[in-house]
Amino acid sequence: MANIAQAIRLALHYGEENLGVKNIFGEDVGPPLGGVFTATQGLKTTWNSPLDERGIVGMAMGLALAGSRCVAEIQFVDYIFNTIDLLKIAGNTCWSSYGQFPMPMTIMTPVGSGIRGSLYHSHSFDAWATRLPGWKIVMPSNSLDAYGLLLAAMKDPNPVMYLPPKALLRVRGDELIPGEPADEKELRSMIDAPLGDRTSWKPRWPDIGDFTVEIGKGKIVREGTQATVVSYGRTLPLCKKASEDLAREGHSVEVIDMRSLYPYDWQMIKGSILKTHKVIFVNEDTEVSNFGEHLCRRAIEEFFFNLEARPRVLAGKHLPGIGLHPHLEENSVPQYENILHEIRELLSEQP
């Protein structure tokens, strides 16, 4: 089974061959490195940009305005903040031009904690991204969705921000990408560059197929009847594990993977809340002005008389940054134990 980094590489290859993607670029995206997480190794249209995030976003906007589909990478989301004004312009260009200038560009940038990245390599961008009208925002939590969401992003005429979680990039999926060999060793031998000299290496791409995850559609990863957990990205597998462990104690917890932060699948969330009457929103972005707060507010406004417990948001602490020491990181953002505790508390509340 492919890991998320390999799934991204396969999707980008499909985009080059089938979707008209002609430029995949960013810092260290091209040879010899193929991306700091190896997600762009072996691709035909990759090239290395200067260390200039504003230049990367500006180039993507120019290519998109010229009608060329591109994928631009910001190496770590922590360095995207100095491009906010450009991202704002990219988001409003199609709208302000009355549809005359669509922006078929994808910005790909890894987000979140989990790699011991300390102050400058552990940021989340969920809430910031959803405050950029005109953008579509997606975040995969597994390899198959990573592949399908990136294909959807490359096909879309709108600017799409693709946010793979740093902590999950080496995590293998449990579902095969169409055309992917079942043997992970075979896949590695085909598409992973060897260590050392890579000058003569070329990948042997499997015959992968089209698989698109519709932007705006969530997924119920575990069905339940007693409480709803809504999450995405790094915290999603932790929520799923917590629900599985609670099932052994006789509890039935439904877990929703949003996959798409904007537009988002409110009908799926609504249906689950009306079924379970209890909900918690979990992510690792800082708790103040958190995207989960928006979802929580909407749940209160629409389902106040249906709720049997106060809705909750479990998110990262509102700190200037995440420390390097493992204890500092683990106490800054939700971990498995925090999620399990909060779900237990939610289940214990009586109407």
Side-chain angles (χ1 to χ4, degrees):
M1 303 285 185
N3 61 36
I4 288 182
Q6 290 171 322
I8 291 171
R9 201 183 313 156
L10 291 169
L12 291 172
H13 168 68
Y14 187 92
E16 288 181 323
E17 296 296 320
N18 300 280
L19 303 179
V21 175
K22 298 177 181 177
N23 289 278
I24 301 169
F25 60 98
E27 299 165 7
D28 297 320
V29 163
L33 188 60
V36 69
F37 293 103
T38 71
T40 53
Q41 286 181 348
L43 298 166
K44 294 190 302 184
T45 64
T46 55
W47 50 274
N48 294 317
S49 73
L51 303 182
D52 176 14
E53 286 77 21
R54 292 183 63 81
I56 293 168
V57 174
M59 176 65 73
M61 292 170 63
L63 288 166
L65 286 169
S68 178
R69 293 186 181 274
C70 65
V71 178
E73 181 187 83
I74 304 297
Q75 194 173 73
F76 291 90
V77 80
D78 311 71
Y79 299 101
I80 203 172
F81 291 89
N82 70 336
T83 72
I84 288 289
D85 57 333
L86 295 176
L87 297 175
K88 177 69 174 174
I89 293 169
N92 69 28
T93 295
C94 183
W95 179 85
S96 63
S97 67
Y98 200 57
Q100 295 181 76
F101 293 102
M103 299 287 281
M105 57 184 277
T106 300
I107 298 293
M108 178 171 68
T109 181
V111 297
S113 66
I115 62 168
R116 305 294 186 253
S118 189
L119 199 61
Y120 298 109
H121 296 86
S122 302
H123 280 92
S124 294
F125 198 65
D126 323 356
W128 290 87
T130 57
R131 294 189 199 107
L132 294 168
W135 281 85
K136 295 182 178 181
I137 316 296
V138 299
M139 187 183 297
S141 66
N142 61 76
S143 299
L144 186 61
D145 285 350
Y147 182 84
L149 286 169
L150 187 49
L151 259 60
M154 290 186 286
K155 293 176 182 179
D156 206 288
N158 303 284
V160 180
M161 195 168 295
Y162 181 85
L163 306 174
K166 300 166 193 169
L168 301 183
L169 284 164
R170 292 288 178 262
V171 175
R172 300 201 170 277
D174 54 13
E175 295 180 273
L176 286 172
I177 293 165
E180 174 195 349
D183 185 346
E184 64 185 58
K185 292 182 179 178
E186 181 182 359
L187 180 65
R188 285 201 305 268
S189 70
M190 295 174 74
I191 69 169
D192 284 8
L195 298 176
D197 184 14
R198 300 173 178 175
T199 54
S200 60
W201 173 77
K202 291 188 182 300
R204 296 179 294 112
W205 297 106
D207 187 17
I208 50 177
D210 191 5
F211 175 80
T212 302
V213 173
E214 183 180 350
I215 295 175
K217 293 295 183 182
K219 180 181 181 181
I220 296 176
V221 299
R222 185 177 178 86
E223 294 191 355
T225 58
Q226 294 178 321
T228 298
V229 180
V230 181
S231 188
Y232 50 85
R234 182 190 71 86
T235 55
L236 190 281
L238 302 178
C239 292
K240 184 171 182 287
K241 183 179 186 303
S243 72
E244 292 167 348
D245 291 345
L246 287 166
R248 298 187 187 97
E249 302 173 11
H251 299 295
S252 178
V253 177
E254 186 147 292
V255 180
I256 293 176
D257 185 350
M258 290 190 68
R259 303 195 291 192
S260 177
L261 275 63
Y262 199 87
Y264 56 87
D265 196 342
W266 186 246
Q267 289 306 307
M268 178 174 287
I269 297 170
K270 173 183 177 179
S272 184
I273 294 174
L274 292 177
K275 177 174 64 172
T276 68
H277 308 289
K278 296 181 179 182
V279 64
I280 181 171
F281 302 96
V282 183
N283 64 71
E284 66 174 323
D285 205 349
T286 50
E287 60 189 356
V288 175
S289 298
N290 186 277
F291 182 61
E293 290 182 339
H294 160 71
L295 299 173
C296 188
R297 184 267 301 168
R298 190 167 179 184
I300 292 169
E301 287 184 353
E302 295 187 26
F303 314 125
F304 183 81
F305 294 104
N306 302 101
L307 294 169
E308 296 179 355
R310 59 184 176 88
R312 297 165 179 252
V313 175
L314 177 60
K317 293 182 173 62
H318 192 59
L319 299 170
I322 290 176
L324 178 60
H325 194 281
H327 291 173
L328 293 174
E329 179 175 275
E330 289 163 9
N331 285 281
S332 298
V333 292
Q335 306 297 329
Y336 169 76
E337 293 78 10
N338 309 123
I339 294 169
L340 186 65
H341 172 77
E342 288 296 321
I343 298 175
R344 284 189 196 279
E345 290 288 309
L346 180 67
L347 289 166
S348 70
E349 286 195 22
Q350 299 299 318

